[in-house]
Amino acid sequence: MKPAPALRAVPEPTASETIGRRTRADPAIIALAGLLLATAAGKLAFAASHPLGFDELWTAMIASQRSFAGFVRQCYLDVNAPLAYLVSWIWAQIAGLSDNALRIPGVVFASAAPLLALTPSAAIPRQARLIWAALLACWIPGFVFAADARSYALIIFISTGSTVAYLALLETASLKSAFVWTTASSLLILTHYIALPLVACQGLGYLLVHRQRALRTWPALLAFAPALASLAAHAALLIGFTDRSAAGAAPLSASALPELIAFVVGGPSSALILLAWAGVSFALWRLRAGADASPSQLAGSLAWIAPATSLATAALCLTASLAHPLIIDRYLTPEVPGVLLGIALLALEFARRWRLAPTVLVALQFGLSVGLLAGALRTQQRFPLEQASSDLMDAGIQRLAFFWDSPSARGADPEAYGEVGGFFFHRAGRPIRVDNLDLKPGEDPNLALASWGRQPGSAILWLYDDHVAGAAARRFPPRIAREDPAWRCRDYGGGTMHILACLR
């Protein structure tokens, strides 16, 4: 008599079958690997195709300091946090000061941030980590930040790691996990002081979740000592810069909020795609209410706290800006990893009733990034200031008056601005004397600049933006050549940005 089918012994798998299952490639991993490689290559290509921008000159100038003492002094004189400058200064000792060399750290950090999202975590399901990594890789401003020798690519990298550490802390409120999070948060603040509100909101969330257990991990606060020291050193500069930047600037209007909110998810196009995807996914989720009766693995998950704190921080910053000029879009960068994690968790929840929800979302965002990148990848001319400096070098000038016409530049250190104005001369091995012009409010720069250099070999560089409230050029349009016909002037700028170069 044959045994009943239910009682038949199940044969043990052979060794070859076991190895085959272990080595079988996961299609999701293969697809993600291809996406990460493609977006990293796109960021490298985008960085190599664009000229150095004016803000990047500050990084270049600080990275060009020959001594550590000079580097420390320039970091102290600059209002920004020092960590990104330290990375650039160390890298410049190895790779030099070319445009591409200055941008390599940004490409690396922007491309590596999605890898941090893949860090094993008890709070984030594996599928959610894969979606999160893909969304970080396709985040449109990440391509721009990779091509920008500033701190924002490093912010994305550290903020992603800090989010992972924060969730580990929420899962296990131990002194070790607290030290990991406070160290990552301290590094984030040392990269940009605008990360302070996010760190504060995360700390508050930790206290609300664990209370007494959280209080017992107070020694981990020692990791904030370097960040607090840097803040103390820059306190006067930060207050002065905030006052100067707000001079003549109107508070944030409610009409500007949608664009700023859209930045967090990748820009207006990404926001529209996300809204359309969410609408379709939610409709299918409701229609298929009985398709999956299994309990959600995300119900009550602590993973939702990270997106909640990021959204709360963004709302706090935007609300404050309605009363006082404070936030521009990139200042919301620290909140981006947390918000994208929330979208990844939402996609995983939708996948319970619409299995393709995460795939459709990632495919749409990847397609958008490829389409926008294809249109942006074109070799451009050199940065107009670099072209103007090159032409003045060819003319053999000996002295240069540099004037950055912006309220935020008034009262700043003249030596630092002088080094920025003379950077391209320094990089070319032809350093010259650079005098930074610092005008009083209401003073006409035309009169000051026209009478500055009477001898041959003198030159002027006047930088201003038509959209900057409080710029002297808006009240006193350039007329240096009319004040003194010995000057010959040319505007190298385009659009709202003007770079007026005058040769004696």
Side-chain angles (χ1 to χ4, degrees):
M1 181 177 177
K2 294 182 179 180
L7 301 177
R8 288 177 183 167
V10 178
E12 291 291 332
T14 64
S16 60
E17 289 174 336
T18 302
I19 294 174
R21 280 202 296 267
R22 290 178 178 175
T23 58
R24 187 176 299 138
D26 186 337
I29 295 295
I30 294 176
L32 178 61
L35 182 146
L36 295 181
L37 288 173
T39 52
K43 287 164 185 170
L44 180 61
F46 188 72
S49 68
H50 283 67
L52 204 67
F54 180 69
D55 285 347
E56 294 175 283
L57 282 182
W58 293 97
T59 302
M61 180 271 289
I62 294 178
S64 70
Q65 300 301 307
R66 296 180 178 177
S67 67
F68 184 70
F71 163 77
V72 171
R73 183 174 186 276
Q74 288 301 334
C75 284
Y76 171 75
L77 294 173
D78 191 274
V79 72
N80 290 287
L83 184 58
Y85 288 142
L86 178 61
V87 172
S88 296
W89 183 75
I90 294 174
W91 176 248
Q93 313 308 309
I94 302 170
L97 294 168
S98 69
D99 293 1
N100 289 337
L102 288 167
R103 287 172 170 163
I104 287 297
V107 173
V108 171
F109 290 128
S111 302
L115 299 178
L116 287 181
L118 298 174
T119 305
S121 171
I124 314 175
R126 174 180 176 274
Q127 298 95 321
R129 296 199 300 271
L130 298 179
I131 303 167
W132 187 26
L135 293 177
L136 280 167
C138 296
W139 187 62
I140 301 297
F143 291 84
V144 179
F145 293 160
D148 190 11
R150 298 295 284 168
S151 63
Y152 298 98
L154 182 58
I155 291 174
I156 281 290
F157 177 78
I158 296 179
S159 183
T160 302
S162 176
T163 302
V164 173
Y166 181 57
L167 290 174
L169 175 62
L170 293 176
E171 283 286 328
T172 308
S174 66
L175 185 57
K176 178 182 177 181
S177 58
F179 259 117
V180 174
W181 173 71
T182 54
T183 300
S185 298
S186 182
L187 291 174
L188 188 57
I189 296 170
L190 285 168
T191 305
H192 204 301
Y193 297 132
I194 200 63
L196 265 171
L198 175 63
V199 174
C201 285
Q202 288 180 339
L204 179 61
Y206 173 49
L207 286 173
L208 291 175
V209 170
H210 289 289
R211 303 186 182 184
Q212 291 297 325
R213 291 177 63 192
L215 293 175
R216 286 195 290 269
T217 60
W218 68 264
L221 294 174
L222 293 174
F224 284 117
L228 293 176
S230 183
L231 273 166
H234 276 146
L237 277 175
L238 286 167
I239 294 172
F241 179 80
T242 302
D243 291 340
R244 291 196 304 272
S245 297
L252 182 68
S253 64
S255 61
L257 289 176
E259 187 173 351
L260 288 171
I261 295 170
F263 166 85
V264 179
V265 297
S269 298
S270 292
L272 289 175
I273 287 175
L274 180 62
L275 287 174
W277 167 85
V280 172
S281 299
F282 182 73
L284 292 174
W285 189 82
R286 291 296 300 270
L287 288 172
R288 300 178 179 180
D292 186 359
S294 62
S296 171
Q297 59 180 321
L298 295 174
S301 172
L302 291 173
W304 292 104
I305 295 178
T309 53
S310 292
L311 288 171
T313 304
L316 177 66
C317 292
L318 292 175
T319 302
S321 293
L322 291 173
H324 183 80
L326 174 67
I327 290 296
I328 58 176
D329 54 7
R330 58 183 58 201
Y331 285 1
L332 296 172
T333 304
E335 288 75 56
V336 168
V339 172
L340 295 184
L341 172 60
I343 296 172
L345 294 172
L346 187 63
L348 186 58
E349 184 64 22
F350 283 144
R352 294 177 60 229
R353 298 177 185 173
W354 182 32
R355 189 174 58 182
L356 292 179
T359 304
V360 170
L361 173 63
V362 171
L364 289 172
Q365 294 293 351
F366 179 66
L368 176 65
S369 63
V370 170
L372 293 178
L373 184 64
L377 278 178
R378 60 185 186 275
T379 303
Q380 299 184 353
Q381 295 180 348
R382 287 187 294 178
F383 174 43
L385 181 58
E386 182 176 2
Q387 184 62 59
S389 299
S390 178
D391 290 347
L392 293 178
M393 276 186 265
D394 292 342
I397 68 166
Q398 301 298 320
R399 298 176 61 212
L400 177 68
F402 181 72
F403 176 42
W404 182 26
D405 187 0
S406 171
S408 61
R410 292 180 189 138
D413 182 72
E415 181 183 339
Y417 280 87
E419 290 200 36
V420 168
F423 170 75
F424 290 114
F425 296 86
H426 169 78
R427 190 171 72 173
R430 299 174 63 179
I432 60 170
R433 174 184 168 183
V434 181
D435 294 335
N436 178 67
L437 185 67
D438 188 12
L439 299 180
K440 298 177 181 178
E443 187 177 355
D444 187 348
N446 292 284
L447 301 177
L449 289 168
S451 61
W452 166 77
R454 295 294 186 182
Q455 64 270 39
S458 299
I460 295 169
L461 281 173
W462 179 357
L463 282 65
Y464 65 95
D465 190 328
D466 287 336
H467 285 176
V468 173
R474 297 182 64 176
R475 182 179 177 186
F476 305 102
R479 60 179 195 283
I480 294 174
R482 291 202 299 271
E483 292 291 336
D484 186 347
W487 290 105
R488 290 184 289 109
C489 297
R490 173 185 170 186
D491 190 344
Y492 286 78
T496 64
M497 186 66 190
H498 298 268
I499 299 174
L500 187 71
C502 299
L503 182 65
R504 185 82 182 179

